[in-house]
Amino acid sequence: MRHYLQFSDFTREEYEYLFKRTAIIKARLKAGELYQPLPGKVLGMIFEKSSTRTRVSFEAGMFQLGGHAMFMQSKDTQLGRGEPIEDVAQVMSRMVDIVMIRTFEQSIIERFADNSLVPVINGLTNEYHPCQIMADIFTYIEKFGSIEGKTVAWIGDSNNVSRTWLQAAKIFNFKLNLACPPGYDMVVLDGQTYGSEIFEIFRDPYLAARDADIVTTDVSVSMGFERETLQRKKDFLSYKVSEKVMLQAKANAVFMHCLPAHRGEEVDPEVIDGPQSIVWEEAENRMHTQKAVIEYLMLGRIDD
Ligand code: CP
Ligand code: NVA
């Protein structure tokens, strides 16, 4: 049994397989074909934080696969009243066939997985957001064929999303340029080393974006960090993707954002709503890529 708790849980070869499956699953859906390999199966979803995309994409995706998705907010369950995560895992995994969790520390999802009888998927933790970056890379590859050797410029916080980009850079062999204020440098948590051909920190967003193929960003205050809002709003004032920042990148560069976005804060409206933005395709691909992950974790490799 496999889990998907961080991006490095799958190999490059597995991602290549998963992207091939994603393209097939997406094309069939667009053609109006039913593909329901999971009748009678249940996806249990635990949300300890808010969500729009993750909930909708998993719930719609599981339904399309012929199964059912169960939405739970931890505050409405005994988890919110202190039931140990290990006990929740033991009980839930005897009733559902696969689990998705959005929570705070990565250790919470790891403890759940250690006690689960069924596969567990990370739907965002403080540390990682693997499903997001899988969709982002699929979106880029769908448009441009390959991400190998490209440059991704991340302007903003060293958070769960950028830390996942870093894991992906090593697996797919592209470069991550990170522009962040002092005090917000990336803390690598997976014990891996990332050479300067894979990862470079800049203070200047214009330098980070120079010749980039993808320019991307995220909110400066992630869920769970709200108490730091005032300080962060000040510290990230000059870390915004503006049209001037986009001009540093390659002429065919794209803008990506995991969403939700705050126009005028981490990105200007002219960029996110402009011609280089591919944020809506990126959001849609969350559903198609996650369907491939669910299929893989539950059924293994499919030949057709
Ligand atoms: N990008 C993302 O995970 O969005 P939600 O918080 O809406 O799920
Ligand atoms: N970094 C953001 C991503 C939201 C999808 C957060 O954790 O709140």
Side-chain angles (χ1 to χ4, degrees):
M1 186 183 63
R2 301 277 302 278
H3 303 295
Y4 189 43
L5 305 184
Q6 48 185 296
F7 198 86
S8 56
D9 285 346
F10 291 147
T11 63
R12 168 98 178 243
E13 191 274 326
E14 285 181 299
Y15 279 113
E16 274 158 13
Y17 166 78
L18 286 164
F19 289 158
K20 210 176 68 192
R21 284 303 299 164
T22 300
I24 292 169
I25 289 169
K26 180 174 178 177
R28 283 186 178 171
L29 183 78
K30 299 274 176 194
E33 248 180 74
L34 284 183
Y35 175 57
Q36 302 187 319
L38 298 174
K41 300 294 183 192
V42 179
L43 164 70
M45 305 191 293
I46 301 176
F47 284 88
E48 298 215 68
K49 295 175 176 173
S50 304
S51 169
T52 298
R53 278 142 291 271
T54 303
R55 177 184 177 178
V56 175
S57 56
F58 271 104
E59 197 162 325
M62 189 63 183
F63 179 76
Q64 290 163 10
L65 291 170
H68 173 76
M70 182 191 294
F71 171 72
M72 283 174 287
Q73 281 183 291
S74 57
K75 65 176 168 61
D76 302 327
T77 71
Q78 298 293 4
L79 197 54
R81 298 179 62 250
E83 185 170 15
I85 193 81
E86 289 82 358
D87 294 5
V88 178
Q90 289 286 353
V91 172
M92 252 183 94
S93 68
R94 282 172 165 76
M95 300 178 187
V96 304
D97 304 284
I98 186 163
V99 172
M100 186 240 84
I101 306 180
R102 167 167 287 197
T103 186
F104 294 91
E105 289 79 25
Q106 183 76 7
S107 58
I108 298 174
I109 200 167
E110 283 168 2
R111 283 162 55 208
F112 189 104
D114 285 346
N115 289 276
S116 175
L117 304 174
V118 300
V120 179
I121 300 174
N122 180 346
L124 181 147
T125 58
N126 288 351
E127 289 86 350
Y128 297 112
H129 198 359
C131 294
Q132 181 66 53
I133 303 310
M134 187 178 169
D136 292 6
I137 292 178
F138 176 79
T139 306
Y140 190 81
I141 290 176
E142 195 180 33
K143 275 196 172 321
F144 295 96
S146 167
I147 196 167
E148 177 139 13
K150 305 287 183 187
T151 299
V152 177
W154 174 278
I155 315 296
D157 193 17
S158 302
N159 64 11
N160 42 9
V161 180
S162 50
R163 192 176 289 110
T164 308
W165 269 114
L166 181 58
Q167 285 196 334
K170 193 160 186 169
I171 292 171
F172 283 91
N173 198 22
F174 59 84
K175 167 117 189 274
L176 179 68
N177 288 348
L178 170 83
C180 66
Y184 293 92
D185 286 357
M186 179 80 76
V187 179
V188 173
L189 300 169
D190 56 13
Q192 300 278 321
T193 49
Y194 294 92
S196 57
E197 73 293 352
I198 293 290
F199 182 44
E200 201 173 344
I201 295 183
F202 295 80
R203 294 286 167 243
D204 182 341
Y206 294 94
L207 289 181
R210 190 178 282 170
D211 292 329
D213 301 280
I214 298 174
V215 180
T216 183
T217 185
D218 187 11
V219 293
S220 59
V221 186
S222 284
M223 292 181 282
F225 295 82
E226 289 80 2
R227 67 193 175 283
E228 299 173 18
T229 300
L230 269 178
Q231 188 62 46
R232 283 174 169 268
K233 294 276 181 217
K234 270 192 262 163
D235 293 342
F236 282 90
L237 266 180
S238 35
Y239 291 82
K240 175 164 67 166
V241 182
S242 60
E243 284 182 305
K244 269 175 78 182
V245 168
M246 286 306 290
L247 277 174
Q248 308 301 311
K250 291 204 179 115
N252 69 344
V254 289
F255 173 76
M256 302 185 90
H257 192 310
C258 62
L259 305 175
H262 295 85
R263 286 170 176 75
E265 289 185 23
E266 75 275 5
V267 59
D268 274 337
E270 295 75 19
V271 175
I272 192 167
D273 301 317
Q276 287 170 285
S277 173
I278 57 169
V279 297
W280 309 129
E281 292 101 306
E282 180 186 359
E284 180 187 327
N285 282 331
R286 287 289 304 278
M287 184 175 79
H288 306 302
T289 47
Q290 287 161 193
K291 284 170 74 180
V293 172
I294 293 171
E295 181 197 65
Y296 183 55
L297 292 177
M298 294 188 69
L299 301 174
R301 294 200 188 221
I302 308 285
D303 284 333
D304 64 348

